[in-house]
């Protein structure tokens, strides 16, 4: 019978081929490429979130399956990406060229983020999938005796490469801390090409992801003599927070990269790509990679950190590279790339993340259109080092008393952006009580300020609901408020002179 769905506790269909697993010397074992399940073809549209992965080329070519859990992320099996059986899979760009097909979109896989406690990995796609709804993760563990629906694009009993989604029914035999043992029903089995594919539970008329295929006996799969249909899947129930954490490790910046007077969104991905989403007025364009190789600059704890600001005064944001040896280099924006750069300053090794001597910011404080260096030290002082074309000078103190705003984990944090449109960066104070005040730039100091907004107590350091950025999205010279929430949505709240409005979502990352 063709599978049409699954009930709350028992599936009404049969699972089929799609995982990469292997059997050696009669023992249940994992293989380098995912294997699948053999069952019946899925009805068109059913389990559309199931992805087909093609990994490697020529003699190394193999396939796996996966499940779309976010517009730009799949959950699958880490073992799919091992260059040889049992090899360690390192986070970052996959060792072998990998393509994923979800719905009608085929995209490159640009990053793999393995779990260290089970055969599960998050996989980033080059672009978001816009035509398929991601599957939700189950909160509860699989229960003994429960029936799950498996899905995958792997081998069947009669086809080596079916290129069609199959589904099948599996009984839960037992559950361990990170795995679930299953037995295929009515001939269903996990076969080569199914590894990483989803095991699903019915929930309120929908389905939720409870596990991904990991190892199998492959009974009944084409080319196998084994008759046992048992499998061991890796549990993913309860991993929703980890999935969200992986998606939110990127660094986000607002900066005018293309020089049109409107702030673009710049994303430093954990795989090292610097992606620019260009501001198109009411929306932001899909991201394009403008630079790569910066994966050790994401955490600010490894080789250093990046900033983006217009240092040379041509209206286009340059890349500022602050390395752990204390040097600051400026890589000039040439429209479609940043060059190799030149060193502008040194001695800043203890100013990377605010945990030591202080923190640095870059913004045009004096109104000459070139970003100055703002030094915020742990004694609470803020000094401005003026941009002189090829260096920043020794600076002058502008403000004091900000010692509990350096780490972002005490009283709050600071930002610097031109809020009133006079061309000079104002000081924005974001306190842990959720208030945001703007202290206006008066040429040699910032005043006592006025409150502009409230309710942002869970947006201070990125550990709560999200983060804030400030940049001129509208092109009127006044900094708007960017709100980046952990669900991937980016909203812009427009500056109306004394407040930012309720805004609208302009992009989903």
């Amino acid at each position: 019978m063709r599978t049409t769905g699954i009930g709350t506790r028992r599936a009404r269909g049969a699972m089929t081929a799609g995982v990469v697993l292997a059997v050696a010397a009669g023992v249940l074992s994992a293989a380098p490429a995912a294997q699948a399940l053999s069952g019946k073809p899925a009805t068109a549209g059913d389990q559309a979130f199931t992805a087909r992965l093609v990994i490697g080329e020529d003699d190394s070519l193999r396939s796996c399956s996966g499940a779309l859990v976010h517009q730009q992320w799949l959950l699958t099996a880490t073992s799919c990406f091992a260059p040889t059986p049992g090899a360690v899979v390192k986070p970052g760009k996959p060792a072998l060229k990998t393509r994923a097909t979800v719905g009608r979109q085929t995209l490159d896989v640009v990053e793999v983020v393995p779990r260290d406690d089970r055969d599960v990995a998050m996989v980033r796609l080059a672009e978001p999938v816009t035509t398929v709804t991601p599957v939700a993760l189950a909160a509860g563990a699989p229960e003994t005796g429960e029936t799950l629906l498996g899905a995958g694009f792997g081998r069947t009993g009669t086809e080596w490469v079916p290129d069609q989604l199959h589904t099948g029914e599996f009984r839960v035999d037992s559950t361990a801390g990170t795995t679930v043992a299953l037995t295929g029903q009515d001939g269903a089995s996990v076969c080569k090409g199914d590894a990483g594919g989803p095991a699903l539970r019915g929930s309120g008329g929908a389905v939720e992801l409870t596990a991904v295929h990991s190892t199998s006996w492959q009974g009944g799969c084409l080319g196998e003599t084994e008759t046992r249909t048992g499998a061991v899947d890796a549990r993913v129930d309860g991993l929703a927070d980890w999935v969200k954490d992986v998606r939110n490790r990127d660094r986000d910046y607002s900066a005018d990269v293309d020089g049109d007077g409107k702030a673009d969104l710049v994303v430093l991905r954990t795989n090292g790509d610097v992606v620019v989403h260009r501001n198109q007025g009411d929306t932001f364009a899909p991201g394009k990679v403008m630079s790569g190789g910066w994966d050790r600059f994401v955490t600010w704890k490894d080789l250093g950190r990046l900033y983006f600001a217009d240092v040379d005064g041509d209206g286009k944001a340059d890349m500022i590279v602050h390395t752990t040896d204390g040097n600051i280099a400026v890589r000039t924006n040439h429209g479609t790339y940043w060059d190799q750069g030149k060193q502008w300053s040194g001695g800043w090794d203890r100013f990377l993340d605010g945990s030591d001597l202080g923190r640095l910011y870059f913004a045009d404080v004096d109104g000459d259109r070139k970003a100055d260096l703002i030094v915020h030290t742990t004694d609470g002082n803020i000094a401005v080092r003026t941009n002189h074309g090829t260096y920043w000078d020794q600076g002058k103190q502008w403000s004091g008393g900000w010692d509990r705003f350096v780490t972002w984990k005490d009283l709050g944090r600071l930002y610097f952006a031109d809020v009133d449109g006079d061309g000079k960066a104002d000081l924005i104070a974001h306190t842990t009580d959720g208030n945001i005040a703007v202290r206006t730039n008066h040429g040699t100091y910032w005043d006592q300020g006025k409150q502009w907004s409230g309710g942002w107590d869970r947006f201070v350091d990125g550990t709560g609901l999200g983060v804030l950025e400030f940049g001129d999205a509208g092109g009127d010279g006044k900094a708007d408020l960017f709100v980046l929430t952990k669900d991937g949505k980016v909203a812009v709240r427009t500056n109306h002179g004394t407040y930012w409005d309720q805004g609208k979502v302009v992009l989903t990352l």
Side-chain angles (χ1 to χ4, degrees), residues 7 26 38 66 69 115 233 257 296 336 348 369 389 395 408 456:
S38 63
V69 293
R115 286 276 300 190
D233 279 14
V257 175
R296 299 183 67 183
T336 55
W348 301 102
R369 298 174 58 85
W408 302 352
W456 301 102

Side-chain angles (χ1 to χ4, degrees), residues 216-292:
S216 169
W217 288 107
Q218 302 181 73
C221 302
L222 184 62
E224 301 293 335
T225 59
E226 178 63 58
T227 59
R228 285 170 287 185
T229 59
V232 175
D233 279 14
R235 286 176 52 187
V236 300
D237 59 278
L239 294 186
D241 286 345
W242 175 71
V243 168
K244 184 181 292 185
D245 177 62
V246 169
R247 290 195 291 104
N248 285 281
R249 291 177 185 174
D250 295 344
R251 294 284 182 183
D252 303 306
Y253 311 80
S254 64
D256 182 8
V257 175
D258 56 9
D260 66 353
K262 296 176 293 187
D264 307 300
L265 185 70
V266 183
V267 180
L268 171 57
R269 291 177 176 169
T270 51
N271 69 339
D273 288 341
V274 177
V275 178
V276 178
H277 295 264
R278 298 188 185 276
N279 185 334
Q280 297 181 321
D282 291 335
T283 61
F284 282 68
K288 290 188 177 181
V289 177
M290 194 161 162
S291 188

Side-chain angles (χ1 to χ4, degrees), residues 20-342:
V20 172
L21 313 167
V23 179
V27 178
L28 187 68
S29 62
Q35 304 171 19
L37 38 131
S38 63
K40 297 182 180 180
T43 302
D46 283 356
Q47 290 79 54
F49 47 75
T50 306
R52 183 187 181 202
L53 296 166
V54 177
I55 301 166
E57 298 175 284
D58 302 324
D59 292 343
S60 69
L61 187 68
R62 57 181 184 258
S63 64
C64 282
S65 300
L68 189 74
V69 293
H70 177 268
Q71 275 73 21
Q72 203 164 349
W73 290 90
L74 305 176
L75 262 183
T76 185
T78 300
S79 55
C80 291
F81 298 92
T84 57
V88 173
V89 177
K90 296 180 180 179
K93 184 178 180 180
L96 300 173
K97 178 180 175 61
T98 304
R99 301 272 282 169
T101 300
V102 188
R104 296 183 178 180
Q105 289 183 256
T106 298
L107 300 163
D108 286 335
V109 169
V110 297
E111 183 178 9
V112 178
V113 183
R115 286 276 300 190
D116 59 7
D117 64 344
R118 67 195 76 183
D119 189 19
V120 170
M122 284 279 282
V123 170
R124 191 202 298 265
L125 305 175
E127 298 177 13
V129 173
T130 58
T131 58
V132 175
T133 301
V135 63
L137 270 64
E143 298 179 7
T144 300
E146 178 181 1
T147 299
L148 303 177
L149 186 74
F153 282 94
R155 188 177 300 179
T156 69
T158 58
E159 295 177 281
W160 288 101
V161 185
D163 197 22
Q164 182 177 7
L165 180 66
H166 287 72
T167 58
E169 193 175 65
F170 286 72
R171 185 189 68 240
V172 175
D173 297 328
S174 61
T175 299
T178 60
T179 59
V180 54
L182 306 168
T183 298
Q185 306 296 294
D186 301 323
S189 185
V190 172
C191 304
K192 290 183 178 179
D194 286 330
L200 305 160
R201 166 191 290 156
S203 177
V207 294
E208 55 187 21
L209 181 63
T210 187
V212 297
H213 311 314
S214 180
T215 60
S216 169
W217 288 107
Q218 302 181 73
C221 302
L222 184 62
E224 301 293 335
T225 59
E226 178 63 58
T227 59
R228 285 170 287 185
T229 59
V232 175
D233 279 14
R235 286 176 52 187
V236 300
D237 59 278
L239 294 186
D241 286 345
W242 175 71
V243 168
K244 184 181 292 185
D245 177 62
V246 169
R247 290 195 291 104
N248 285 281
R249 291 177 185 174
D250 295 344
R251 294 284 182 183
D252 303 306
Y253 311 80
S254 64
D256 182 8
V257 175
D258 56 9
D260 66 353
K262 296 176 293 187
D264 307 300
L265 185 70
V266 183
V267 180
L268 171 57
R269 291 177 176 169
T270 51
N271 69 339
D273 288 341
V274 177
V275 178
V276 178
H277 295 264
R278 298 188 185 276
N279 185 334
Q280 297 181 321
D282 291 335
T283 61
F284 282 68
K288 290 188 177 181
V289 177
M290 194 161 162
S291 188
W294 301 100
D295 49 299
R296 299 183 67 183
F297 287 76
V298 176
T299 66
W300 304 349
K301 306 284 185 186
D302 195 348
L303 288 187
R305 66 177 290 183
L306 304 181
Y307 316 78
F308 297 87
D310 180 12
V311 178
D312 60 5
D314 66 353
K316 296 178 292 186
D318 305 298
M319 178 192 287
I320 303 164
V321 183
H322 181 183
T323 44
T324 49
D325 60 5
N327 290 326
I328 298 175
V330 176
R331 297 194 168 213
T332 302
N333 185 332
H334 289 268
T336 55
Y337 68 96
W338 293 282
D339 65 22
Q340 293 303 301
K342 296 179 180 178

Side-chain angles (χ1 to χ4, degrees), residues 396-411:
K396 295 180 181 179
Q397 182 174 337
W398 271 52
S399 190
W402 300 102
D403 49 301
R404 299 183 67 182
F405 287 77
V406 179
T407 66
W408 302 352
K409 297 185 180 299
D410 193 350
L411 285 187

